[in-house]
Amino acid sequence: MHLSRKWGVSVLIAGMVMSGCEEKPVSPSLVQGDGDWTDTGRYAACNVYSVQGRACGDRETFDVSSCDAASLAQVPADGIYTLVYRTDSQVPGIGADAFRVSADGRLDSFHGAPPTERRIGPREFFLTSTRTLSPTVTVRNTLVGCRAEGTWLYGCFASCRNGRYTRFGTFLAERWTRRAGEEEASGLRLTSESFVEQGLPVDVYVTQGHAYVVSIPNGPEKGGLTVFDVSNPAAPVLRSTLSLPTDNYWNGVWAKGNALYVASADSGVIVFDISEPATPRLVRQVPSDQGPLDVHTVFEEGDRLYAMSPSPRPRTLVFDIREPREPVLIGEYAEPPAAGLPPGYPHDALALEGRLYINHWSQGYLIVDVSDPVAPRKLGEFVYPYATSHANAVGRFGERLIAFEGGENWGAHLRVLDVTDPAHPVKVGEYSLGSNVSLHNMVLKGSRLYVAHYQHGVRVLDVSVPESPREVAYSNTFRETDPERGTSFYDGAIGMRVPGDGFVYVIDTSRGLLVFPEP
C-alpha cells in the first residue's frame, strides 16, 4: 500500500489562478517507458470557485452550468466506484480514491466514512465528507457530478483544509464490476478462509507451518501481528496476536530461521524470536539508535536483510543477518533526487545475484549493485511518467534476466523488462486488466507469476514466454457484500506468499487469510 503524497495545487479564486506548490514537468530525457496514466485533459466541463458566503466544498462553489445534468440519471444508485483525480494545476497531479453509494444511503462511504451530505438524484450527484483530524485541523472532500456515460461518472472535486482549498480539479469514476465473462474462480479453488481481527491485514509470511499476518491500523483498530497454525492449510488455527500500544503500523514481514522481521512505520525493523512458532517473542528494534524510523517493507536474501525506509530520509538499509536475531546495519543506499521528477522513496525491493531491484515510487525502478553493501552503486533505471513503481519480481529465463514491475495507482499494470544489461532495461511485454483497478504485490515461482490485484483478486500468469504473459488461473476474492468494501481504492487482494508447500497464501483486506492449492 502506498504512502500519502503531497499534491501540487493551484487555487482558482474569482476567476484568477493563484499557484501554490506545483509538480515540476517530467523531463523527457528521464522518461524511458510509457506511463500508467496519460493526461488527456480535464475530465469534465465544471469548475470550482470561491463564492462569498459559501464554505469551501459547498455545492454552490461548483459551476455546473456547462454540464449534462440529464445524463446523471444513468449513474447506478448502488455500487462501488474507483476514481482518479486530476488536479487543475500547471502540471496536473493525479491520485486514486473510491466511494460507495447505495439506494437507501446506509452503505454510502466516501473517504472511508459515511458522507456528511449526499444528494443523488436524476439530475444531481453530490457527495461531501467532513472530518476532524485534530482540535485544530478539519478536512473536507467533495465530489460533484457533471455527466455520465453508462457506468462512468465525470465531475469536479475539491479538497479543503480548515476551510481553504488544498487541491481541486476534475475526476473520472467507474463503477466496479467483475470482469465480463468471469466466474468466482477458475483454476484456483479456495481451501480455507481465516478472518483477521486486528486492524487492516496487508502482508503475510509463511514458515515453520505458521502464517504470520501483519496489519496496519484501521480507524480506531490497532494493527499488529496475527499468527495462524497452517500445518493443515484446510483448517488454519489462530494461535496468537500481538500489538504494541504506540507502534503497530506493521506493513511488511519476512523471516529467516527462528527470526521474524516486521517492517514498522515507527521503529524500523522489529525482530521476533519464533523458535516457538505459535508465540513470537519480541527481541529488539533495529536500528535502535536512529530515533523514529519508518520502514515500509523488508526483503531477505542469504545473509542480508533489506529494509525500505520512506522517512525521515528515503533510503534502503542493508543488514547483516548471519546471526538472524541480531541484525547489524552495514550499509545503505539513498537515491539522489532527480531533476524534473517529484521526490521518490523506496517502497519495495528484491535482491538477486548481487543486485538489488528497488521500486522507488515516482523515481521509477532502480537496479543497484550491492555486492559491496558499504558502497552500493546504481547500475541503471527504468523511469516513466507519473510513476508509482511499487513491486517487482526478477528471474532468469535462459540467458536473460527478466524483471516484472508494476505501479500502484489508476492505470497501474504489469511491465515485463529485460534487465540483462542493467544499464539499459528494455520493456518487452506487459499485462493489464484495465485502468480502474491497480495491481499490488507479485511472486515469481519458476515460470508462474502470482499477482495480488486488489479488486480483481488473485491472478496467476504463465510467463514462460516473458513477452506474452498468459493468465492460467484466477480467483475473484472481492465481493461487494464483504465488510467495509468501497472504503478505499486499495481494497481486495493485497499480500501474497507462495512458500513451496503446495499452497498459495493470500491476504485480502476484508476477508483476511485465504489459502489456495497451487494451480
Side-chain angles (χ1 to χ4, degrees):
M1 186 176 294
H2 83 303
L3 301 182
S4 61
R5 302 168 64 199
K6 293 183 179 179
W7 289 68
V9 195
S10 293
V11 180
L12 186 62
I13 304 294
M16 299 178 60
V17 176
M18 303 178 65
S19 296
C21 179
E22 297 179 349
E23 293 186 22
K24 296 179 180 179
V26 177
S27 170
S29 64
L30 291 172
V31 175
Q32 299 172 333
D34 59 315
D36 289 327
W37 181 79
T38 300
D39 186 14
T40 57
R42 302 183 83 243
Y43 288 123
C46 46
N47 287 288
V48 182
Y49 292 91
S50 255
V51 177
Q52 188 171 4
R54 305 305 308 187
C56 179
D58 279 358
R59 170 64 181 80
E60 291 75 13
T61 63
F62 293 83
D63 177 7
V64 295
S65 59
S66 298
C67 293
D68 181 4
S71 69
L72 297 177
Q74 300 178 38
V75 178
D78 189 271
I80 292 170
Y81 288 76
T82 56
L83 71 149
V84 58
Y85 298 115
R86 179 194 184 275
T87 59
D88 285 343
S89 49
Q90 183 177 341
V91 177
I94 64 168
D97 201 354
F99 65 85
R100 182 171 192 166
V101 292
S102 53
D104 60 7
R106 288 188 298 174
L107 296 177
D108 286 8
S109 176
F110 180 42
H111 271 254
T116 48
E117 185 181 352
R118 71 189 296 267
R119 303 182 208 167
I120 301 176
R123 298 181 60 84
E124 185 174 29
F125 183 93
F126 175 79
L127 284 180
T128 189
S129 171
T130 301
R131 293 177 296 153
T132 300
L133 302 185
S134 73
T136 59
V137 177
T138 299
V139 296
R140 185 181 187 183
N141 293 277
T142 302
L143 299 178
V144 172
C146 186
R147 66 183 176 93
E149 295 177 8
T151 58
W152 294 82
L153 174 65
Y154 302 81
C156 279
F157 77 93
S159 295
C160 314
R161 182 184 177 93
N162 292 342
R164 299 176 64 87
Y165 289 106
T166 56
R167 65 184 189 268
F168 67 88
T170 55
F171 73 87
L172 162 64
E174 182 179 6
R175 190 194 189 286
W176 175 85
T177 56
R178 183 177 291 175
R179 289 177 58 78
E182 289 193 346
E183 305 293 334
E184 181 175 333
S186 174
L188 279 178
R189 175 179 52 82
L190 184 64
T191 298
S192 63
E193 178 174 344
S194 304
F195 185 70
V196 176
E197 292 285 348
Q198 58 180 353
L200 185 80
V202 291
D203 199 16
V204 61
Y205 197 86
V206 180
T207 185
Q208 300 186 49
H210 288 71
Y212 298 89
V213 179
V214 289
S215 303
I216 63 175
N218 183 27
E221 297 178 14
K222 295 179 180 178
L225 176 66
T226 303
V227 183
F228 293 97
D229 183 331
V230 291
S231 53
N232 178 5
V237 178
L238 175 65
R239 292 302 187 193
S240 59
T241 59
L242 192 153
S243 184
L244 300 178
T246 59
D247 182 354
N248 52 76
Y249 193 113
W250 295 350
N251 188 76
V253 60
W254 211 277
K256 179 181 180 181
N258 287 327
L260 186 77
Y261 309 107
V262 170
S264 165
D266 298 297
S267 58
V269 179
I270 304 177
V271 184
F272 292 93
D273 183 333
I274 53 170
S275 53
E276 295 182 8
T279 54
R281 179 176 60 85
L282 178 63
V283 176
R284 58 177 50 86
Q285 291 140 306
V286 293
S288 59
D289 59 346
Q290 298 194 17
L293 180 68
D294 180 1
V295 167
H296 200 59
T297 54
V298 286
F299 185 90
E300 172 268 337
E301 186 200 33
D303 291 332
R304 303 267 180 83
L305 177 71
Y306 301 92
M308 281 52 75
S309 175
S311 66
R313 180 168 61 89
R315 56 191 168 139
T316 297
L317 306 173
V318 186
F319 295 91
D320 183 318
I321 52 171
R322 282 176 290 184
E323 294 292 336
R325 285 169 287 190
E326 299 178 8
V328 177
L329 183 63
I330 55 174
E332 66 176 53
Y333 177 78
E335 175 71 0
L341 289 178
Y345 62 88
H347 183 283
D348 212 338
L350 179 142
L352 181 69
E353 300 175 358
R355 296 178 186 172
L356 187 66
Y357 299 83
I358 305 175
N359 300 97
H360 212 273
W361 203 248
S362 55
Q363 287 181 260
Y365 185 55
L366 313 181
I367 305 173
V368 178
D369 182 343
V370 287
S371 55
D372 179 3
V374 177
R377 178 173 58 94
K378 187 168 77 171
L379 303 175
E381 61 188 6
F382 188 85
V383 184
Y384 48 93
Y386 294 97
T388 55
S389 187
H390 176 274
N392 79 99
V394 185
R396 282 208 168 270
F397 291 76
E399 297 298 315
R400 296 187 298 169
L401 268 173
I402 298 294
F404 303 90
E405 183 271 348
E408 187 192 28
N409 207 340
W410 184 273
H413 62 283
L414 180 72
R415 292 175 180 80
V416 184
L417 309 175
D418 187 328
V419 294
T420 308
D421 177 1
H424 301 96
V426 177
K427 178 185 168 185
V428 296
E430 63 182 359
Y431 165 84
S432 175
L433 293 181
S435 62
N436 68 319
V437 173
S438 176
L439 50 77
H440 190 252
N441 280 348
M442 61 188 80
V443 175
L444 179 65
K445 290 292 183 180
S447 61
R448 292 285 175 91
L449 185 70
Y450 297 82
V451 181
H453 210 298
Y454 279 127
Q455 292 92 338
H456 285 327
V458 182
R459 303 284 156 165
V460 184
L461 309 180
D462 179 344
V463 292
S464 54
V465 180
E467 293 84 350
S468 303
R470 180 173 60 89
E471 187 175 289
V472 295
Y474 66 81
S475 176
N476 281 301
T477 64
F478 188 90
R479 302 175 304 201
E480 288 187 281
T481 55
D482 297 326
E484 298 188 24
R485 292 300 197 198
T487 59
S488 171
F489 181 76
Y490 311 101
D491 187 9
I494 188 170
M496 176 182 294
R497 299 292 175 197
V498 188
D501 63 353
F503 292 88
V504 181
Y505 298 82
V506 175
I507 296 300
D508 180 279
T509 53
S510 177
R511 298 173 65 180
L513 175 65
L514 309 179
V515 184
F516 304 87
E518 286 189 51

